[in-house]
Amino acid sequence: MTTVEFRDVSKKFADGTIALNNFCLQVNDGELVVLVGPSGCGKSTTLRLLAGLEDISSGEILIDGQVVNLVTPQKRNIAMVFQNYALYPHMSVRANLEFPLKMVRTPKDQMSKKVAEIADILKLQKLLNRRPAELSGGQRQRVAMGRALVRNPSVFLLDEPLSNLDAKLRARIRAEISELQKRLQKTTLYVTHDQVEAMTLGDRVAVIESGKLHQVGTPTELYQQPRSIFVAKFIGSPGMNVFPATLRLKDDGQEQLQAGDLVIPLPEKLSRQNLQVNGNIYVGIRPEAITAEPSDKSLPYRVHVNATEFLGHETLVYFQFSDNRDVSPLIARLPGKFSDTDSMTNLYFVPESLHLYNEDGSALV
Ligand code: ATP
C-alpha cells in the first residue's frame, strides 16, 4: 500500500528558474498517473523531487502519509527508469538486474530467485547472458524496467521510457507497460510529452505547463471537460480549435456568440449562466465535433476549405468560415476521403458541443 502526495511543492533552481510552482497532486495506491506537458514544463523535476534526487524549495512531499522532505533517496524505496535506460554496458543483463540487489547485500540464493522472477515477468530469460549492446531497443527498455522493479520498490517512476523507440515499438511496449503495471499494482508516476501516450496509459493524467498544474483527471475528463484552453489544445490529436468571440444579446433577448460576421446561438447549457454581454470569451470546438453531413441538432456553416490532409481512414480539413476570414484556420477531422480543396462547402456542428473559456484561458463552466 503506497500513496504519494505533493503539497504545494515548489522548486526554484539556484539560477532562479522556477521549475515547479505550488504543485499539488495525490497519487492513490496502485494508480498510474501520467505527468504530461511540453518540454521544460517541470515533469522530470517532479520525479526527481519525489525520488529525493533534488531538494524541494517549499511545500511537502508525502509517501504513505509521511513527510519525506528530509528522507534520503535510498530510504524512499523508489525506483526510476530514465529515458536513456542507463544500463551498465560492460555487464550482462543478469549482472544489470543483480546490481540493485547487490547494493543492499541480498544473499546469493535470494538474488538468483528474484532475478529469475523478474526475467520471467519481463520475458528476459533467454537474454540474461547478453550485454546491452547485443539487445534491441525494446529489449534494453525491458531490462531497464527489470532493474528498477527487481528490488520491489513501493513507487515506480518512469521518465520518457519510450522516447528512444520507433513509433510501432512504442505502441507495443506501451501496452506491455500498461499490462505489467496493472498486474503488479505498483503506484507509478510516468512522464511523457506525448499526449497519446498519456491518454492511453494513465489511470489519471496531470497536465503541466511552465511548472503549473493545469488539470488532473481521467483521460475522459480531460478530453470532455478541459478546464483551460491549454489543456483543450494539448489533449486531442489535433487539439481543440479555439478562437475569440464576443457574447451578444439580440433584440429578442436571444444570446449568441459572434466572431466577426460569424454568429452561433449560445448553447443551451450556457444560456442561464451569468455571462457578461459584449464580453470577450474564447470558443472551442473539437475537430471531430465538426461533420460534413447534417445531424439532428447541427447547424450548417459556410466555409472555405484551404487545404486537406488525407490520412487513409480520415481527412484533416483546414478551413475558414467564409464570412469571417479573420478567424485563423480551424481543423475538422472528417471520416474517409474529403478532397474539395480551395472551395466553398458546408460543414456542420452542434452548438452544444462548443466549449467556452474566459479571457484568462479558464473554462467558463
Ligand atoms: P523535458 O520534457 O524536455 O525533459 P521537463 O518537463 O522534464 O522537460 P524539467 O527537466 O523538469 O522539464 O525542467 C524544468 C525547468 O527547469 C526547465 O526550464 C529546465 O531548464 C530547468 N532546470 C532543470 N534542471 C535545472 C538545473 N539543475 N538548474 C537550473 N534549471 C534547471
Side-chain angles (χ1 to χ4, degrees), residues 93-361:
V93 168
R94 182 190 301 281
N96 265 285
L97 294 177
E98 283 174 351
F99 190 81
L101 299 172
K102 279 191 176 150
M103 297 297 284
V104 289
R105 299 180 201 283
T106 310
K108 217 170 173 125
D109 55 334
Q110 268 189 44
M111 193 153 70
S112 303
K113 195 166 158 251
K114 285 190 174 175
V115 168
E117 264 173 31
I118 210 79
D120 190 40
I121 290 173
L122 289 162
K123 301 187 189 74
L124 294 168
Q125 302 99 324
K126 291 189 179 145
L127 306 173
L128 286 173
N129 294 322
R130 294 206 201 162
R131 293 190 180 199
E134 297 161 341
L135 302 175
S136 70
Q139 290 166 337
R140 263 179 238 160
Q141 207 280 335
R142 293 216 299 274
V143 178
M145 300 256 297
R147 200 181 53 180
L149 287 170
V150 74
R151 265 182 66 186
N152 196 21
S154 23
V155 186
F156 191 30
L157 308 181
L158 296 129
D159 193 352
E160 303 253 13
L162 306 182
S163 52
N164 290 337
L165 308 177
D166 67 54
K168 247 189 176 160
L169 190 55
R170 250 198 332 258
R172 205 187 79 206
I173 308 265
R174 194 165 69 210
E176 282 182 18
I177 292 178
S178 175
E179 191 272 329
L180 183 72
Q181 198 275 340
K182 285 198 170 60
R183 191 144 49 99
L184 301 180
Q185 290 282 305
K186 282 241 170 289
T187 307
T188 303
L189 277 94
Y190 184 109
V191 157
T192 179
H193 61 270
D194 178 354
Q195 64 91 24
V196 175
E197 210 163 289
M199 296 292 274
T200 48
L201 263 179
D203 294 322
R204 286 186 303 145
V205 177
V207 184
I208 307 174
E209 185 214 9
S210 304
K212 176 179 155 228
L213 179 66
H214 269 261
Q215 186 172 359
V216 57
T218 63
T220 310
E221 283 165 356
L222 290 186
Y223 179 79
Q224 292 183 345
Q225 294 136 23
R227 304 300 306 155
S228 68
I229 291 178
F230 180 82
V231 176
K233 286 183 164 182
F234 196 83
I235 300 293
S237 176
M240 192 185 285
N241 298 295
V242 178
F243 56 91
T246 310
L247 183 73
R248 302 273 186 222
L249 204 56
K250 277 193 354 187
D251 292 344
D252 62 3
Q254 207 196 353
E255 297 160 308
Q256 49 188 221
L257 300 165
Q258 193 168 357
D261 295 332
L262 173 73
V263 172
I264 310 168
L266 190 71
E268 228 170 73
K269 64 179 178 187
L270 291 167
S271 59
R272 275 174 296 280
Q273 296 292 322
N274 191 16
L275 301 182
Q276 200 191 337
V277 174
N278 295 330
N280 294 329
I281 55 174
Y282 284 91
V283 175
I285 181 153
R286 290 257 175 231
E288 45 278 20
I290 300 165
T291 58
E293 304 294 333
S295 67
D296 198 11
K297 289 185 176 161
S298 68
L299 297 176
Y301 290 92
R302 200 78 191 139
V303 306
H304 179 264
V305 177
N306 298 350
T308 59
E309 282 173 7
F310 176 57
L311 302 175
H313 63 298
E314 64 181 14
T315 306
L316 297 182
V317 178
Y318 296 78
F319 69 93
Q320 280 172 293
F321 292 109
S322 60
D323 40 8
N324 190 354
R325 295 292 187 90
D326 295 340
V327 173
S328 54
L330 310 187
I331 304 179
R333 252 178 89 172
L334 303 180
K337 196 166 172 76
F338 185 95
S339 46
D340 298 346
T341 308
D342 202 21
S343 63
M344 301 298 296
T345 188
N346 273 347
L347 291 180
Y348 302 81
F349 59 81
V350 180
E352 289 294 315
S353 66
L354 295 180
H355 299 252
L356 297 188
Y357 295 93
N358 290 306
E359 267 190 300
D360 67 3

Side-chain angles (χ1 to χ4, degrees), residues 13-15 17-19 37-46 54 83 159-160 191 193:
F13 285 105
D15 67 356
T17 306
I18 295 176
S39 182
C41 71
K43 308 180 291 291
S44 299
T45 302
T46 308
E54 301 276 359
Q83 183 175 348
D159 193 352
E160 303 253 13
V191 157
H193 61 270

Side-chain angles (χ1 to χ4, degrees), residues 1-7 23-31 33 46 50 60-66 68 78 154-157 187-189 204:
M1 162 95 190
T2 307
T3 58
V4 168
E5 187 177 350
F6 292 82
R7 272 193 200 155
F23 183 80
C24 294
L25 178 69
Q26 289 195 29
V27 184
N28 302 318
D29 181 44
E31 193 181 28
V33 170
T46 308
L50 176 57
E60 287 177 333
I61 294 181
L62 294 89
I63 298 177
D64 280 340
Q66 302 293 317
V68 295
I78 288 176
S154 23
V155 186
F156 191 30
L157 308 181
T187 307
T188 303
L189 277 94
R204 286 186 303 145

